Amino acid sequence: MSKSMYSLILIDEIVKSVDKLAHQRGTNRSNLINQILAEHLSLKTPEKRISEIFVHTGDNLDEDTLQVVQCTSGTLVVKGAVNFKYNPTIRYQLNLNAAPRAYTGELKISTRTQSKSLIYRLSMFYELWMQIEKACPAEIRKNKPKFEVGGGKFSREITVSHRGEGIDHEALGKAIADYLHLFDKTMSMFFETKAGVDVGTYKEMLLMYEKLIQDSEIMV
């Protein structure tokens, strides 16, 4: 859906109520009015489509390992834990935008810690995970996402192209959940060994990633 600027004359009391509700929902006046009108006219806004994707993501998460803690317009936050001393929380934040022919965004993974040893171990795993995604054969995955690692934090580009009627929101939500599950599982495998990971475990992780790509209806 394209957007244009329009002038509207509204009652002041209505605008105050809209601004109050927009603040509560973490959005702005224009977006909220757009959503209200779209709902009244039975139209799906980009924000509505993304919300549906996030709902399906949450429905496909195993709450024993990953839990949704925040779901707002364009942002989904999931928490997990890593087996390291006091089981520190790992925060997965997914920011998603709807473009005319694609969903684009970024996955950010972080934890609140001052532990240098934990930051070091996390950085080692993040570097390993980048190698796994980049090492995936071209015949399985042609386009490789962009990454950024530093200070015990990890970010990854998300791009899902679509044409015609677009992507099935349930399938995309499941694909995101499957990726998070695999990331969480391989991280647990990494932290189970003191030295990090051996060649055999690395190959196992790579095969797990390749299987995820091959089995998924949608590639994230």
Side-chain angles (χ1 to χ4, degrees), residues 141-182:
R141 175 158 204 161
K142 295 181 180 180
N143 300 321
K144 306 296 173 66
K146 296 178 181 178
F147 304 90
E148 186 174 335
V149 175
K153 298 180 180 180
F154 173 92
S155 66
R156 179 191 187 273
E157 174 188 46
I158 300 291
T159 303
V160 185
S161 301
H162 64 85
R163 295 181 179 180
E165 295 181 359
I167 289 174
D168 180 271
H169 295 164
E170 185 173 358
L172 179 52
K174 184 179 185 303
I176 294 171
D178 289 345
Y179 181 89
L180 294 178
H181 276 140
L182 181 60

mmCIF file of all heavy atoms in Angstrom, residues 141-182:
data_model
loop_
_atom_site.group_PDB
_atom_site.id
_atom_site.type_symbol
_atom_site.label_atom_id
_atom_site.label_comp_id
_atom_site.label_asym_id
_atom_site.label_seq_id
_atom_site.Cartn_x
_atom_site.Cartn_y
_atom_site.Cartn_z
ATOM 1 N N ARG A 141 21.125 -22.238 -0.649
ATOM 2 C CA ARG A 141 20.788 -20.843 -0.371
ATOM 3 C C ARG A 141 21.680 -19.933 -1.197
ATOM 4 O O ARG A 141 22.878 -19.838 -0.944
ATOM 5 C CB ARG A 141 20.944 -20.535 1.112
ATOM 6 C CG ARG A 141 20.724 -19.057 1.419
ATOM 7 C CD ARG A 141 20.352 -18.787 2.842
ATOM 8 N NE ARG A 141 19.625 -17.532 2.904
ATOM 9 C CZ ARG A 141 18.849 -17.165 3.904
ATOM 10 N NH1 ARG A 141 18.675 -17.966 4.916
ATOM 11 N NH2 ARG A 141 18.223 -16.021 3.890
ATOM 12 N N LYS A 142 21.106 -19.255 -2.177
ATOM 13 C CA LYS A 142 21.885 -18.394 -3.058
ATOM 14 C C LYS A 142 22.215 -17.070 -2.392
ATOM 15 O O LYS A 142 23.352 -16.614 -2.407
ATOM 16 C CB LYS A 142 21.119 -18.156 -4.360
ATOM 17 C CG LYS A 142 20.913 -19.409 -5.189
ATOM 18 C CD LYS A 142 20.156 -19.093 -6.475
ATOM 19 C CE LYS A 142 19.948 -20.358 -7.300
ATOM 20 N NZ LYS A 142 19.202 -20.084 -8.555
ATOM 21 N N ASN A 143 21.206 -16.413 -1.831
ATOM 22 C CA ASN A 143 21.407 -15.099 -1.233
ATOM 23 C C ASN A 143 21.725 -15.229 0.249
ATOM 24 O O ASN A 143 20.945 -15.804 1.015
ATOM 25 C CB ASN A 143 20.160 -14.232 -1.422
ATOM 26 C CG ASN A 143 19.831 -14.025 -2.889
ATOM 27 O OD1 ASN A 143 20.727 -13.861 -3.706
ATOM 28 N ND2 ASN A 143 18.548 -14.034 -3.228
ATOM 29 N N LYS A 144 22.866 -14.704 0.652
ATOM 30 C CA LYS A 144 23.278 -14.774 2.054
ATOM 31 C C LYS A 144 22.964 -13.453 2.753
ATOM 32 O O LYS A 144 23.249 -12.377 2.209
ATOM 33 C CB LYS A 144 24.776 -15.084 2.151
ATOM 34 C CG LYS A 144 25.215 -16.327 1.378
ATOM 35 C CD LYS A 144 24.573 -17.585 1.941
ATOM 36 C CE LYS A 144 24.866 -18.800 1.055
ATOM 37 N NZ LYS A 144 26.265 -19.183 1.020
ATOM 38 N N PRO A 145 22.369 -13.502 3.951
ATOM 39 C CA PRO A 145 22.043 -12.264 4.666
ATOM 40 C C PRO A 145 23.288 -11.555 5.187
ATOM 41 O O PRO A 145 24.364 -12.151 5.284
ATOM 42 C CB PRO A 145 21.170 -12.768 5.827
ATOM 43 C CG PRO A 145 21.611 -14.181 6.041
ATOM 44 C CD PRO A 145 21.962 -14.706 4.689
ATOM 45 N N LYS A 146 23.139 -10.287 5.521
ATOM 46 C CA LYS A 146 24.230 -9.511 6.107
ATOM 47 C C LYS A 146 24.185 -9.632 7.626
ATOM 48 O O LYS A 146 23.111 -9.745 8.218
ATOM 49 C CB LYS A 146 24.118 -8.045 5.693
ATOM 50 C CG LYS A 146 24.273 -7.823 4.189
ATOM 51 C CD LYS A 146 24.112 -6.347 3.840
ATOM 52 C CE LYS A 146 24.233 -6.123 2.331
ATOM 53 N NZ LYS A 146 24.033 -4.701 1.975
ATOM 54 N N PHE A 147 25.362 -9.580 8.246
ATOM 55 C CA PHE A 147 25.472 -9.745 9.693
ATOM 56 C C PHE A 147 26.302 -8.617 10.304
ATOM 57 O O PHE A 147 27.053 -7.937 9.616
ATOM 58 C CB PHE A 147 26.154 -11.069 10.045
ATOM 59 C CG PHE A 147 25.506 -12.289 9.457
ATOM 60 C CD1 PHE A 147 25.886 -12.763 8.210
ATOM 61 C CD2 PHE A 147 24.523 -12.970 10.153
ATOM 62 C CE1 PHE A 147 25.299 -13.892 7.668
ATOM 63 C CE2 PHE A 147 23.935 -14.101 9.624
ATOM 64 C CZ PHE A 147 24.322 -14.554 8.372
ATOM 65 N N GLU A 148 26.161 -8.491 11.618
ATOM 66 C CA GLU A 148 27.016 -7.589 12.381
ATOM 67 C C GLU A 148 27.182 -8.167 13.780
ATOM 68 O O GLU A 148 26.198 -8.534 14.435
ATOM 69 C CB GLU A 148 26.408 -6.189 12.458
ATOM 70 C CG GLU A 148 27.335 -5.172 13.110
ATOM 71 C CD GLU A 148 26.798 -3.758 13.047
ATOM 72 O OE1 GLU A 148 25.992 -3.473 12.132
ATOM 73 O OE2 GLU A 148 27.168 -2.949 13.920
ATOM 74 N N VAL A 149 28.419 -8.290 14.228
ATOM 75 C CA VAL A 149 28.721 -8.851 15.544
ATOM 76 C C VAL A 149 29.657 -7.912 16.274
ATOM 77 O O VAL A 149 30.615 -7.393 15.700
ATOM 78 C CB VAL A 149 29.374 -10.245 15.430
ATOM 79 C CG1 VAL A 149 29.792 -10.752 16.807
ATOM 80 C CG2 VAL A 149 28.427 -11.235 14.781
ATOM 81 N N GLY A 150 29.399 -7.697 17.577
ATOM 82 C CA GLY A 150 30.281 -6.865 18.372
ATOM 83 C C GLY A 150 29.761 -6.677 19.782
ATOM 84 O O GLY A 150 28.554 -6.542 19.993
ATOM 85 N N GLY A 151 30.660 -6.715 20.754
ATOM 86 C CA GLY A 151 30.279 -6.484 22.143
ATOM 87 C C GLY A 151 29.288 -7.482 22.692
ATOM 88 O O GLY A 151 28.457 -7.135 23.542
ATOM 89 N N GLY A 152 29.352 -8.717 22.214
ATOM 90 C CA GLY A 152 28.424 -9.735 22.693
ATOM 91 C C GLY A 152 27.037 -9.604 22.099
ATOM 92 O O GLY A 152 26.092 -10.222 22.598
ATOM 93 N N LYS A 153 26.903 -8.823 21.015
ATOM 94 C CA LYS A 153 25.617 -8.634 20.349
ATOM 95 C C LYS A 153 25.691 -9.134 18.906
ATOM 96 O O LYS A 153 26.760 -9.154 18.304
ATOM 97 C CB LYS A 153 25.195 -7.158 20.386
ATOM 98 C CG LYS A 153 24.992 -6.611 21.792
ATOM 99 C CD LYS A 153 24.576 -5.151 21.758
ATOM 100 C CE LYS A 153 24.373 -4.611 23.159
ATOM 101 N NZ LYS A 153 23.962 -3.179 23.157
ATOM 102 N N PHE A 154 24.530 -9.496 18.387
ATOM 103 C CA PHE A 154 24.448 -10.068 17.049
ATOM 104 C C PHE A 154 23.258 -9.451 16.330
ATOM 105 O O PHE A 154 22.183 -9.303 16.903
ATOM 106 C CB PHE A 154 24.266 -11.579 17.177
ATOM 107 C CG PHE A 154 23.993 -12.311 15.881
ATOM 108 C CD1 PHE A 154 25.030 -12.838 15.139
ATOM 109 C CD2 PHE A 154 22.691 -12.487 15.423
ATOM 110 C CE1 PHE A 154 24.784 -13.526 13.958
ATOM 111 C CE2 PHE A 154 22.428 -13.173 14.245
ATOM 112 C CZ PHE A 154 23.492 -13.693 13.509
ATOM 113 N N SER A 155 23.446 -9.081 15.075
ATOM 114 C CA SER A 155 22.315 -8.595 14.266
ATOM 115 C C SER A 155 22.382 -9.254 12.899
ATOM 116 O O SER A 155 23.470 -9.508 12.366
ATOM 117 C CB SER A 155 22.330 -7.074 14.139
ATOM 118 O OG SER A 155 23.452 -6.642 13.398
ATOM 119 N N ARG A 156 21.220 -9.513 12.342
ATOM 120 C CA ARG A 156 21.118 -10.219 11.065
ATOM 121 C C ARG A 156 20.021 -9.606 10.222
ATOM 122 O O ARG A 156 18.929 -9.302 10.714
ATOM 123 C CB ARG A 156 20.806 -11.698 11.302
ATOM 124 C CG ARG A 156 20.656 -12.539 10.036
ATOM 125 C CD ARG A 156 20.080 -13.893 10.411
ATOM 126 N NE ARG A 156 20.030 -14.840 9.310
ATOM 127 C CZ ARG A 156 19.026 -14.937 8.446
ATOM 128 N NH1 ARG A 156 17.993 -14.113 8.536
ATOM 129 N NH2 ARG A 156 19.051 -15.857 7.496
ATOM 130 N N GLU A 157 20.316 -9.419 8.956
ATOM 131 C CA GLU A 157 19.348 -8.877 8.008
ATOM 132 C C GLU A 157 18.240 -9.902 7.732
ATOM 133 O O GLU A 157 18.491 -11.094 7.634
ATOM 134 C CB GLU A 157 20.074 -8.538 6.707
ATOM 135 C CG GLU A 157 19.197 -8.095 5.571
ATOM 136 C CD GLU A 157 19.976 -7.974 4.283
ATOM 137 O OE1 GLU A 157 20.765 -8.897 3.967
ATOM 138 O OE2 GLU A 157 19.800 -6.958 3.592
ATOM 139 N N ILE A 158 17.008 -9.409 7.623
ATOM 140 C CA ILE A 158 15.863 -10.244 7.258
ATOM 141 C C ILE A 158 15.272 -9.696 5.964
ATOM 142 O O ILE A 158 14.895 -8.523 5.889
ATOM 143 C CB ILE A 158 14.775 -10.244 8.355
ATOM 144 C CG1 ILE A 158 15.336 -10.779 9.681
ATOM 145 C CG2 ILE A 158 13.564 -11.060 7.907
ATOM 146 C CD1 ILE A 158 15.662 -12.241 9.685
ATOM 147 N N THR A 159 15.190 -10.519 4.933
ATOM 148 C CA THR A 159 14.572 -10.124 3.674
ATOM 149 C C THR A 159 13.780 -11.293 3.122
ATOM 150 O O THR A 159 14.335 -12.357 2.869
ATOM 151 C CB THR A 159 15.625 -9.689 2.632
ATOM 152 O OG1 THR A 159 16.416 -8.629 3.171
ATOM 153 C CG2 THR A 159 14.940 -9.196 1.362
ATOM 154 N N VAL A 160 12.491 -11.089 2.958
ATOM 155 C CA VAL A 160 11.620 -12.129 2.406
ATOM 156 C C VAL A 160 10.851 -11.516 1.235
ATOM 157 O O VAL A 160 9.962 -10.698 1.432
ATOM 158 C CB VAL A 160 10.629 -12.665 3.467
ATOM 159 C CG1 VAL A 160 9.823 -13.830 2.895
ATOM 160 C CG2 VAL A 160 11.386 -13.111 4.716
ATOM 161 N N SER A 161 11.213 -11.909 0.022
ATOM 162 C CA SER A 161 10.565 -11.347 -1.172
ATOM 163 C C SER A 161 9.268 -12.084 -1.485
ATOM 164 O O SER A 161 9.118 -13.260 -1.168
ATOM 165 C CB SER A 161 11.507 -11.442 -2.375
ATOM 166 O OG SER A 161 12.707 -10.738 -2.126
ATOM 167 N N HIS A 162 8.345 -11.362 -2.112
ATOM 168 C CA HIS A 162 7.094 -12.002 -2.518
ATOM 169 C C HIS A 162 6.517 -11.278 -3.725
ATOM 170 O O HIS A 162 6.841 -10.129 -4.002
ATOM 171 C CB HIS A 162 6.079 -12.021 -1.377
ATOM 172 C CG HIS A 162 5.636 -10.656 -0.924
ATOM 173 N ND1 HIS A 162 4.627 -9.963 -1.533
ATOM 174 C CD2 HIS A 162 6.074 -9.880 0.086
ATOM 175 C CE1 HIS A 162 4.452 -8.800 -0.912
ATOM 176 N NE2 HIS A 162 5.316 -8.721 0.061
ATOM 177 N N ARG A 163 5.663 -11.969 -4.455
ATOM 178 C CA ARG A 163 5.001 -11.391 -5.622
ATOM 179 C C ARG A 163 3.520 -11.730 -5.579
ATOM 180 O O ARG A 163 3.083 -12.566 -4.789
ATOM 181 C CB ARG A 163 5.621 -11.933 -6.908
ATOM 182 C CG ARG A 163 7.072 -11.527 -7.123
ATOM 183 C CD ARG A 163 7.606 -12.089 -8.425
ATOM 184 N NE ARG A 163 8.981 -11.685 -8.646
ATOM 185 C CZ ARG A 163 9.695 -12.040 -9.697
ATOM 186 N NH1 ARG A 163 9.145 -12.814 -10.635
ATOM 187 N NH2 ARG A 163 10.941 -11.632 -9.823
ATOM 188 N N GLY A 164 2.768 -11.093 -6.473
ATOM 189 C CA GLY A 164 1.344 -11.418 -6.585
ATOM 190 C C GLY A 164 0.600 -11.177 -5.288
ATOM 191 O O GLY A 164 0.629 -10.092 -4.721
ATOM 192 N N GLU A 165 -0.079 -12.214 -4.799
ATOM 193 C CA GLU A 165 -0.898 -12.091 -3.603
ATOM 194 C C GLU A 165 -0.059 -12.038 -2.333
ATOM 195 O O GLU A 165 -0.572 -11.791 -1.256
ATOM 196 C CB GLU A 165 -1.889 -13.263 -3.520
ATOM 197 C CG GLU A 165 -2.906 -13.269 -4.653
ATOM 198 C CD GLU A 165 -3.877 -14.421 -4.525
ATOM 199 O OE1 GLU A 165 -3.742 -15.213 -3.569
ATOM 200 O OE2 GLU A 165 -4.767 -14.533 -5.382
ATOM 201 N N GLY A 166 1.242 -12.289 -2.451
ATOM 202 C CA GLY A 166 2.114 -12.167 -1.297
ATOM 203 C C GLY A 166 2.345 -13.474 -0.574
ATOM 204 O O GLY A 166 1.967 -14.549 -1.023
ATOM 205 N N ILE A 167 2.958 -13.359 0.589
ATOM 206 C CA ILE A 167 3.378 -14.513 1.372
ATOM 207 C C ILE A 167 2.286 -14.923 2.346
ATOM 208 O O ILE A 167 1.587 -14.087 2.909
ATOM 209 C CB ILE A 167 4.669 -14.169 2.136
ATOM 210 C CG1 ILE A 167 5.826 -14.072 1.139
ATOM 211 C CG2 ILE A 167 4.983 -15.193 3.207
ATOM 212 C CD1 ILE A 167 7.091 -13.596 1.751
ATOM 213 N N ASP A 168 2.166 -16.207 2.543
ATOM 214 C CA ASP A 168 1.255 -16.731 3.554
ATOM 215 C C ASP A 168 1.794 -16.358 4.931
ATOM 216 O O ASP A 168 2.907 -16.741 5.294
ATOM 217 C CB ASP A 168 1.149 -18.252 3.403
ATOM 218 C CG ASP A 168 0.210 -18.855 4.428
ATOM 219 O OD1 ASP A 168 0.684 -19.192 5.533
ATOM 220 O OD2 ASP A 168 -0.989 -18.984 4.127
ATOM 221 N N HIS A 169 1.019 -15.608 5.687
ATOM 222 C CA HIS A 169 1.494 -15.101 6.975
ATOM 223 C C HIS A 169 1.769 -16.220 7.975
ATOM 224 O O HIS A 169 2.704 -16.135 8.775
ATOM 225 C CB HIS A 169 0.476 -14.117 7.552
ATOM 226 C CG HIS A 169 0.324 -12.885 6.735
ATOM 227 N ND1 HIS A 169 -0.744 -12.021 6.863
ATOM 228 C CD2 HIS A 169 1.110 -12.364 5.752
ATOM 229 C CE1 HIS A 169 -0.603 -11.020 6.017
ATOM 230 N NE2 HIS A 169 0.503 -11.210 5.328
ATOM 231 N N GLU A 170 0.971 -17.260 7.936
ATOM 232 C CA GLU A 170 1.190 -18.380 8.841
ATOM 233 C C GLU A 170 2.512 -19.081 8.524
ATOM 234 O O GLU A 170 3.273 -19.433 9.432
ATOM 235 C CB GLU A 170 0.038 -19.375 8.745
ATOM 236 C CG GLU A 170 0.141 -20.518 9.745
ATOM 237 C CD GLU A 170 -1.093 -21.408 9.741
ATOM 238 O OE1 GLU A 170 -2.041 -21.112 8.992
ATOM 239 O OE2 GLU A 170 -1.098 -22.401 10.497
ATOM 240 N N ALA A 171 2.795 -19.257 7.243
ATOM 241 C CA ALA A 171 4.043 -19.909 6.830
ATOM 242 C C ALA A 171 5.255 -19.066 7.207
ATOM 243 O O ALA A 171 6.280 -19.592 7.657
ATOM 244 C CB ALA A 171 4.029 -20.178 5.329
ATOM 245 N N LEU A 172 5.159 -17.744 7.036
ATOM 246 C CA LEU A 172 6.272 -16.872 7.392
ATOM 247 C C LEU A 172 6.478 -16.850 8.904
ATOM 248 O O LEU A 172 7.618 -16.876 9.380
ATOM 249 C CB LEU A 172 6.032 -15.456 6.871
ATOM 250 C CG LEU A 172 7.116 -14.422 7.204
ATOM 251 C CD1 LEU A 172 8.498 -14.922 6.807
ATOM 252 C CD2 LEU A 172 6.807 -13.085 6.512
ATOM 253 N N GLY A 173 5.385 -16.800 9.664
ATOM 254 C CA GLY A 173 5.497 -16.838 11.117
ATOM 255 C C GLY A 173 6.183 -18.105 11.585
ATOM 256 O O GLY A 173 7.025 -18.082 12.490
ATOM 257 N N LYS A 174 5.845 -19.234 10.967
ATOM 258 C CA LYS A 174 6.470 -20.514 11.321
ATOM 259 C C LYS A 174 7.942 -20.516 10.939
ATOM 260 O O LYS A 174 8.789 -21.030 11.691
ATOM 261 C CB LYS A 174 5.753 -21.671 10.636
ATOM 262 C CG LYS A 174 6.298 -23.043 11.032
ATOM 263 C CD LYS A 174 5.541 -24.167 10.349
ATOM 264 C CE LYS A 174 6.020 -25.537 10.837
ATOM 265 N NZ LYS A 174 7.472 -25.743 10.637
ATOM 266 N N ALA A 175 8.270 -19.950 9.774
ATOM 267 C CA ALA A 175 9.665 -19.906 9.332
ATOM 268 C C ALA A 175 10.531 -19.107 10.306
ATOM 269 O O ALA A 175 11.663 -19.500 10.623
ATOM 270 C CB ALA A 175 9.753 -19.300 7.934
ATOM 271 N N ILE A 176 9.990 -17.999 10.803
ATOM 272 C CA ILE A 176 10.729 -17.189 11.784
ATOM 273 C C ILE A 176 10.915 -17.973 13.081
ATOM 274 O O ILE A 176 12.005 -17.995 13.661
ATOM 275 C CB ILE A 176 9.995 -15.863 12.055
ATOM 276 C CG1 ILE A 176 10.003 -14.988 10.791
ATOM 277 C CG2 ILE A 176 10.634 -15.120 13.226
ATOM 278 C CD1 ILE A 176 9.121 -13.761 10.887
ATOM 279 N N ALA A 177 9.855 -18.626 13.534
ATOM 280 C CA ALA A 177 9.935 -19.413 14.768
ATOM 281 C C ALA A 177 10.936 -20.554 14.615
ATOM 282 O O ALA A 177 11.718 -20.839 15.544
ATOM 283 C CB ALA A 177 8.558 -19.966 15.130
ATOM 284 N N ASP A 178 10.940 -21.220 13.465
ATOM 285 C CA ASP A 178 11.875 -22.326 13.225
ATOM 286 C C ASP A 178 13.320 -21.832 13.258
ATOM 287 O O ASP A 178 14.207 -22.512 13.781
ATOM 288 C CB ASP A 178 11.585 -22.992 11.878
ATOM 289 C CG ASP A 178 10.296 -23.803 11.888
ATOM 290 O OD1 ASP A 178 9.784 -24.090 12.994
ATOM 291 O OD2 ASP A 178 9.796 -24.139 10.803
ATOM 292 N N TYR A 179 13.560 -20.651 12.697
ATOM 293 C CA TYR A 179 14.912 -20.083 12.710
ATOM 294 C C TYR A 179 15.351 -19.795 14.151
ATOM 295 O O TYR A 179 16.479 -20.116 14.547
ATOM 296 C CB TYR A 179 14.964 -18.808 11.876
ATOM 297 C CG TYR A 179 16.339 -18.173 11.836
ATOM 298 C CD1 TYR A 179 17.260 -18.534 10.859
ATOM 299 C CD2 TYR A 179 16.712 -17.229 12.786
ATOM 300 C CE1 TYR A 179 18.525 -17.961 10.831
ATOM 301 C CE2 TYR A 179 17.974 -16.655 12.768
ATOM 302 C CZ TYR A 179 18.878 -17.030 11.796
ATOM 303 O OH TYR A 179 20.134 -16.466 11.781
ATOM 304 N N LEU A 180 14.468 -19.184 14.934
ATOM 305 C CA LEU A 180 14.802 -18.875 16.327
ATOM 306 C C LEU A 180 15.066 -20.148 17.126
ATOM 307 O O LEU A 180 15.988 -20.196 17.954
ATOM 308 C CB LEU A 180 13.670 -18.072 16.975
ATOM 309 C CG LEU A 180 13.417 -16.668 16.419
ATOM 310 C CD1 LEU A 180 12.239 -16.018 17.138
ATOM 311 C CD2 LEU A 180 14.658 -15.803 16.560
ATOM 312 N N HIS A 181 14.268 -21.183 16.881
ATOM 313 C CA HIS A 181 14.472 -22.451 17.584
ATOM 314 C C HIS A 181 15.839 -23.050 17.250
ATOM 315 O O HIS A 181 16.547 -23.535 18.136
ATOM 316 C CB HIS A 181 13.368 -23.449 17.215
ATOM 317 C CG HIS A 181 12.119 -23.289 18.010
ATOM 318 N ND1 HIS A 181 10.857 -23.399 17.471
ATOM 319 C CD2 HIS A 181 11.926 -23.021 19.320
ATOM 320 C CE1 HIS A 181 9.950 -23.208 18.410
ATOM 321 N NE2 HIS A 181 10.568 -22.967 19.541
ATOM 322 N N LEU A 182 16.201 -23.018 15.964
ATOM 323 C CA LEU A 182 17.484 -23.589 15.571
ATOM 324 C C LEU A 182 18.639 -22.779 16.157
ATOM 325 O O LEU A 182 19.623 -23.353 16.641
ATOM 326 C CB LEU A 182 17.609 -23.632 14.045
ATOM 327 C CG LEU A 182 18.920 -24.232 13.523
ATOM 328 C CD1 LEU A 182 19.079 -25.676 14.005
ATOM 329 C CD2 LEU A 182 18.991 -24.172 11.999
#
